[in-house]
Amino acid sequence: MLIIHRANVDPPLKDGGSRLRLYLPVCLLPMISLTLLYDEAVSNFNDKLKEVCSVIIETKRVYKPAFMAVGLQEQVQPDPDVKPSENAIARLWDQLNSRAGEIANPVGFRGYGLIRQTPEIKPGDPFTYTAAIGVTSFGQLPEGMVSIEVPASHYAVVTYRGELDGLGEGFEYFWTSWLPQSEYVYDGVYEFEFYDQRYRNRTDPGSEIDLYFPISPK
């Protein structure tokens, strides 16, 4: 929730305009002050909301039974210069969404962005990504798609809220903050993004995505 603690208007400017000063708690970050001209307030304020309202709203530990999924798979080379909403993974999801009706036995709205991890993979290395839909059983596999059964595991679940382009904050939080301070180690083959009805679209700051990281006690 974004709460405006205080607002005040500074003395008029020489050109007749005024300045609107808002003091906001920026989604758990230190308070900042935004000074906006009235004629630019709406556009600037909306831009600022998009920037600051990406937030980790929850972290929890869960046990998830094995599950099955069907989708499109691709070897992805990370590129920090390309936004998540425009990169190869986003294009893969576009392809899957256009062919979702071909997948048999889907489990409602259950999307999985499966990332296969191996001990050899280092930050910046290519990795295997599968944009998939959960299924109750494997039917006839559509052309070009793969089927995956993810084993049961304990997970740390980081829930991210914000635009897709800020999703990296969730991964960074897990690897640089939660995991080093926890009593757990990373332990599994698949980590994944989970999309359900809370996810609206790539540019909606109210969208929520769960990030599942397999863990076990140290």
Side-chain angles (χ1 to χ4, degrees):
M1 179 180 295
L2 187 66
I3 302 173
I4 297 178
H5 280 297
R6 172 184 162 196
N8 67 279
V9 178
D10 288 343
L13 302 176
K14 291 181 179 179
D15 60 4
S18 297
R19 294 183 186 275
L20 175 64
R21 188 181 298 268
L22 300 177
Y23 293 87
L24 307 173
V26 187
C27 301
L28 306 181
L29 297 176
M31 292 184 67
I32 62 172
S33 172
L34 301 176
T35 302
L36 306 172
L37 290 174
Y38 272 132
D39 58 357
E40 299 176 353
V42 174
S43 60
N44 286 356
F45 187 61
N46 287 341
D47 289 343
K48 199 62 186 179
L49 283 178
K50 292 179 182 179
E51 175 184 341
V52 304
C53 284
S54 297
V55 63
I56 308 304
I57 63 173
E58 184 181 30
T59 305
K60 60 186 177 183
R61 296 188 305 275
V62 303
Y63 172 80
K64 184 172 177 60
F67 65 93
M68 295 176 286
V70 171
L72 295 170
Q73 190 173 92
E74 186 172 313
Q75 191 77 359
V76 175
Q77 174 62 59
D79 186 349
D81 295 327
V82 180
K83 297 178 180 179
S85 59
E86 301 172 358
N87 64 12
I89 292 175
R91 294 193 295 272
L92 192 64
W93 276 107
D94 288 340
Q95 295 175 40
L96 181 68
N97 289 335
S98 68
R99 299 183 58 191
E102 301 176 30
I103 298 176
N105 311 315
V107 185
F109 191 101
R110 295 289 187 276
Y112 296 92
L114 296 161
I115 303 168
R116 184 175 177 83
Q117 293 283 11
T118 64
E120 297 78 22
I121 294 180
K122 299 177 179 60
D125 286 351
F127 60 91
T128 301
Y129 185 96
T130 308
I133 293 174
V135 296
T136 57
S137 61
F138 294 134
Q140 183 175 357
L141 201 61
E143 182 179 358
M145 294 194 188
V146 299
S147 59
I148 295 177
E149 184 165 2
V150 180
S153 181
H154 291 273
Y155 294 91
V157 183
V158 176
T159 300
Y160 164 84
R161 177 188 292 157
E163 296 186 10
L164 186 62
D165 285 341
L167 185 59
E169 297 175 17
F171 289 94
E172 181 178 1
Y173 170 75
F174 172 78
W175 288 108
T176 65
S177 181
W178 191 91
L179 188 62
Q181 299 176 35
S182 75
E183 299 177 353
Y184 297 85
V185 294
Y186 188 93
D187 183 22
V189 177
Y190 287 102
E191 65 186 61
F192 58 90
E193 306 151 0
F194 175 66
Y195 299 87
D196 60 12
Q197 292 88 344
R198 295 168 299 157
Y199 177 75
R200 302 167 185 172
N201 59 61
R202 295 171 184 169
T203 60
D204 192 323
S207 286
E208 293 182 14
I209 303 170
D210 291 331
L211 304 177
Y212 280 70
F213 301 92
I215 56 172
S216 63
K218 291 180 178 178

